[in-house]
Amino acid sequence: MTVAMAVQSFSLSLLSSRSFNSSSSLSSVPAFSLVSNFPRFRLRPRIPLLRCQYKHDAILEFPGVGEDLPLDYDERFPKADPSDRRRAGVLLHPTSFRGPHGIGDLGDEAFRFIDWLHDAGCSVWQVLPLVPPGRRANEEGSPYSGQDANCGNTLLISLEELVKDGLLKKEELPKPVEAERVNYSTVAEIKDPLVAKAAERLILSEGDLKNQLVEFRSDPDISSWLEDAALFAAIDSSLNTFSWYVWPEPLKNRHLAALEDVYQRKKDFIDIFIAQQFLFQRQWQKVRKYAQKKGVSIMGDMPIYVGYHSADVWANRKHFLLNRKSFPLLVSGVPPDAFSETGQLWDSPLYNWKAMEKDGFTWWIRRLRRAQDLYDEFRIDHFRGFAGFWAVPSEAKIAMVGRWKAGPGKALFDAISRAVGNINIIAEDLGVITEDVIELRKSIGAPGMAVLQFAFGSGAANPHLPHNHEQNQVVYTGTHDNDTIRGWWDLLPEEEKSIVLRYLSITEEDDISWALIKAALSSVAQTTVVPMQDVLRLGNSARMNIPATQFGNWGWRMPSSLIFESLEDEASRLRDLVSLYGRL
């Protein structure tokens, strides 16, 4: 009920409560007979006040219709809800930082970037999944093909920070490697032995750091996934097969005697594996706390699916659609889309949602708890899979032969909410988005996404166009799966280019990168995220990933000639726009 309706209802009920005989009428009752004579501007005590409670806990008091309002009436303005604050951020994965060992890490450069974000007026830093990247053939370092859904990427551990901790000696550090792109196999050869050496020294040490390791390992929220991950890695390293499907039957099927034997024989490997995860956790939490101190929220990224060759599937096979021999019955993918005429075949095993629901969705609850431990908020990739997912027979060579199947829907998020509480998620709702996906997203209050590179060329109703954006949304110029703005612009058909120019009211001579950044920041969407490549106005060579391809992805790094301290102009320009559109 609105305030005006409440006042009207109250006035009528007050008058109807008076006693009148059948010959009386309201017009015959003197107006002054309904009120008492009080000094001017004083509220009449015989007329109850209307008290209106708003979501901001501000209480407005109204007298009856026509009565005097409080003296401070013209000073009572609506209060802004902090949760509605407009924000801006930058997408930059830590592997893309500059650094001396062929890959970005969690050392000084991460802190410099946070300082730069703060100077630029940004309050969000989005990263890609922090899981160990795929190292096998055709995976090429993909953070979406990791071997474990909960472990951290130990290649991100800063060797210089390990020296500060006394776990490595300065003279043990390798010579600097000049690499414009990440070569994951080369980086692993350089860093893996040194990180393992630091972990071993930590295990043999005494003191506060060792006590923190013991606490980390004994934390039930950590050990619930870490012990299986360590055991899986120990077996995998000794057998070196392409898949756990071909492991000896006692190990493949987790016979207790066989697992105990591995645990005893590979105890040193398991202890070092866990210590390495502790070192990653320690460095990442140091970065995260600094970001929080600077008012920067870290937005993570969670792939909806996990790889078959992983501890997640091996140790939890009842939660996946596998046959009696533990091989996938159906695998993940999407039907034909803008990136592939035959669809995308991801090959990840699909979840057995009925079994998961029967188990109370414990596997997902554990995964969400881990995400909350790493991030302040996080995007769930391929959110549409919770409403309906594309299922492809495991023997298929192309994704277009699949079919849609029903997902768990809101039941999953109700279970998570009961177990974990409020979670700050962003729903990646791109691609084939049916009505049930939108209903699910809105039912849990999660913001969706809009991408400006998808906005032009299909009419004024395109949901990615700024005039169609929603408040509860995250708008991007492009994501990690898109080309950079400059790369996109260079390949855009002339007809579509003319639409962009007209829509943005710019000319060919204008800077298209910053024109799109401005359009994203001016959007009604609460959050805007811009890839760092677009801030730097880089071309196609800086693209992070090309979907449906297996080679040449995930390697982009900040140009070695650029340091964050030298990007003052970009920070100032970004801050001016962030301020202009109310996102500071």
Side-chain angles (χ1 to χ4, degrees):
M1 180 181 291
T2 66
V3 171
M5 292 171 63
V7 171
Q8 184 179 32
S9 175
F10 163 74
S11 301
L12 291 175
S13 64
L14 176 66
L15 291 173
S16 63
S17 68
R18 306 283 299 191
S19 298
F20 299 101
N21 59 38
S22 59
S23 62
S24 298
S25 69
L26 289 178
S27 60
S28 66
V29 181
F32 57 80
S33 67
L34 297 179
V35 297
S36 299
N37 189 17
F38 281 85
R40 191 181 181 189
F41 298 123
R42 294 289 299 276
L43 298 179
R44 287 147 170 76
R46 291 183 62 187
I47 301 178
L49 296 176
L50 295 183
R51 299 172 66 83
C52 301
Q53 183 75 46
Y54 287 86
K55 66 179 181 179
H56 312 306
D57 293 328
I59 299 178
L60 299 182
E61 299 177 348
F62 288 91
V65 173
E67 297 302 315
D68 294 328
L69 289 166
L71 290 175
D72 63 346
Y73 167 73
D74 57 356
E75 299 174 3
R76 298 187 178 188
F77 299 107
K79 293 183 179 179
D81 188 337
S83 65
D84 291 337
R85 175 196 173 202
R86 286 166 61 78
R87 318 178 298 165
V90 172
L91 167 60
L92 180 62
H93 196 48
T95 57
S96 297
F97 290 145
R98 297 166 61 258
H101 308 304
I103 190 173
D105 60 35
L106 304 179
D108 291 342
E109 202 71 1
F111 295 88
R112 293 189 186 103
F113 175 60
I114 293 170
D115 288 338
W116 183 89
L117 280 175
H118 178 75
D119 292 342
C122 293
S123 53
V124 177
W125 172 18
Q126 183 175 339
V127 299
L128 303 183
L130 292 174
V131 299
R135 297 192 186 186
R136 294 172 177 271
N138 302 333
E139 291 175 339
E140 293 286 309
S142 170
Y144 296 90
S145 300
Q147 189 166 298
D148 191 279
N150 297 304
C151 284
N153 180 6
T154 56
L155 294 179
L156 291 175
I157 293 175
S158 165
L159 300 182
E160 286 73 19
E161 289 295 313
L162 296 180
V163 172
K164 295 177 184 178
D165 289 333
L167 299 175
L168 286 180
K169 299 174 183 177
K170 191 172 183 179
E171 55 268 25
E172 291 176 321
L173 297 184
K175 295 180 180 179
V177 175
E178 292 295 331
E180 291 299 315
R181 296 183 62 83
V182 180
N183 183 315
Y184 286 91
S185 59
T186 299
V187 169
E189 290 176 4
I190 294 172
K191 297 190 72 172
D192 279 349
L194 290 169
V195 174
K197 180 181 288 188
E200 188 174 10
R201 286 172 177 167
L202 172 60
I203 293 167
L204 297 174
S205 70
E206 300 291 340
D208 182 58
L209 202 56
K210 175 65 177 293
N211 293 336
Q212 292 179 36
L213 169 62
V214 173
E215 291 176 8
F216 172 78
R217 187 169 186 172
S218 60
D219 184 341
D221 286 338
I222 298 293
S223 61
S224 61
W225 54 265
L226 183 53
E227 295 294 337
D228 279 330
L231 192 58
F232 182 90
I235 301 170
D236 193 38
S237 68
S238 60
L239 297 179
N240 195 30
T241 59
F242 184 74
S243 169
W244 63 265
Y245 181 77
V246 298
W247 285 359
E249 195 273 339
L251 294 175
K252 172 183 175 181
N253 292 319
R254 294 175 57 86
H255 294 181
L256 289 178
L259 297 184
E260 181 61 28
D261 177 64
V262 171
Y263 193 87
Q264 294 302 325
R265 287 190 296 105
K266 304 284 288 184
K267 186 177 184 304
D268 289 345
F269 179 98
I270 291 171
D271 288 344
I272 290 173
F273 181 94
I274 291 173
Q276 288 175 311
Q277 285 301 307
F278 165 77
L279 293 173
F280 167 85
Q281 177 86 354
R282 184 169 184 270
Q283 289 193 9
W284 175 250
Q285 292 299 346
K286 185 178 178 182
V287 170
R288 184 184 175 194
K289 288 178 181 177
Y290 186 76
Q292 290 173 336
K293 178 182 175 182
K294 288 288 187 174
V296 175
S297 173
I298 295 182
M299 181 190 295
D301 198 347
M302 175 188 289
I304 185 174
Y305 297 121
V306 296
Y308 176 70
H309 187 68
S310 66
D312 305 289
V313 180
W314 173 69
N316 303 279
R317 64 192 73 183
K318 70 177 181 179
H319 294 315
F320 296 86
L321 290 175
L322 310 178
N323 63 22
R324 292 182 179 180
K325 294 182 178 181
S326 297
F327 194 77
L329 290 167
L330 299 165
V331 295
S332 62
V334 290
D337 59 11
F339 294 112
S340 174
E341 293 181 354
T342 59
Q344 297 181 47
L345 187 61
W346 297 337
D347 269 339
S348 301
L350 294 174
Y351 298 112
N352 185 338
W353 286 116
K354 290 182 179 179
M356 282 190 159
E357 184 170 21
K358 187 176 180 180
D359 191 47
F361 297 107
T362 55
W363 187 90
W364 273 97
I365 289 169
R366 182 167 64 245
R367 192 179 184 194
L368 268 290
R369 282 201 175 108
R370 173 58 174 164
Q372 284 189 312
D373 186 38
L374 293 174
Y375 313 117
D376 301 301
E377 54 191 296
F378 51 94
R379 189 190 83 132
I380 299 184
D381 193 48
H382 199 62
F383 178 85
R384 74 106 50 247
F386 296 120
F389 56 92
W390 189 249
V392 184
S394 59
E395 67 274 11
K397 302 299 182 184
I398 55 175
M400 65 189 304
V401 299
R403 64 174 298 166
W404 290 108
K405 290 183 176 291
K410 193 168 182 291
L412 168 65
F413 295 95
D414 288 342
I416 291 171
S417 179
R418 288 191 296 269
V420 181
N422 293 330
I423 53 173
N424 298 318
I425 69 170
I426 294 89
E428 187 271 281
D429 54 352
L430 306 176
V432 181
I433 301 304
T434 47
E435 186 177 3
D436 56 340
V437 181
I438 297 173
E439 290 175 351
L440 176 60
R441 178 181 65 77
K442 289 184 176 180
S443 73
I444 65 173
M449 289 175 53
V451 181
L452 293 188
Q453 287 190 30
F454 296 149
F456 307 96
S458 62
N462 187 315
H464 297 280
L465 282 167
H467 67 260
N468 292 321
H469 291 174
E470 303 173 8
Q471 188 272 340
N472 192 29
Q473 203 168 36
V474 181
V475 59
Y476 294 79
T477 52
T479 71
H480 64 277
D481 282 336
N482 292 98
D483 205 338
T484 65
I485 294 176
R486 285 233 57 91
W488 165 78
W489 185 251
D490 290 342
L491 298 176
L492 201 65
E494 288 301 320
E495 183 179 353
E496 200 166 333
K497 276 187 178 180
S498 67
I499 296 173
V500 176
L501 296 175
R502 285 170 52 211
Y503 191 92
L504 300 179
S505 297
I506 60 174
T507 68
E508 288 271 11
E509 286 69 40
D510 288 307
D511 186 333
I512 186 62
S513 294
W514 279 91
L516 239 61
I517 290 172
K518 181 179 180 181
L521 290 168
S522 68
S523 166
V524 70
Q526 184 176 355
T527 304
T528 294
V529 175
V530 180
M532 192 66 187
Q533 295 96 312
D534 291 341
V535 174
L536 299 174
R537 297 174 289 179
L538 300 178
N540 172 264
S541 62
R543 183 170 184 168
M544 195 65 165
N545 179 52
I546 302 176
T549 65
Q550 295 178 327
F551 302 101
N553 298 317
W554 316 112
W556 179 76
R557 300 182 70 194
M558 291 274 292
S560 58
S561 59
L562 293 180
I563 59 175
F564 288 115
E565 291 85 348
S566 70
L567 299 177
E568 293 180 357
D569 290 345
E570 286 80 359
S572 177
R573 187 173 185 180
L574 190 54
R575 187 181 185 89
D576 286 345
L577 289 174
V578 168
S579 176
L580 179 65
Y581 294 113
R583 297 183 182 275
L584 272 182

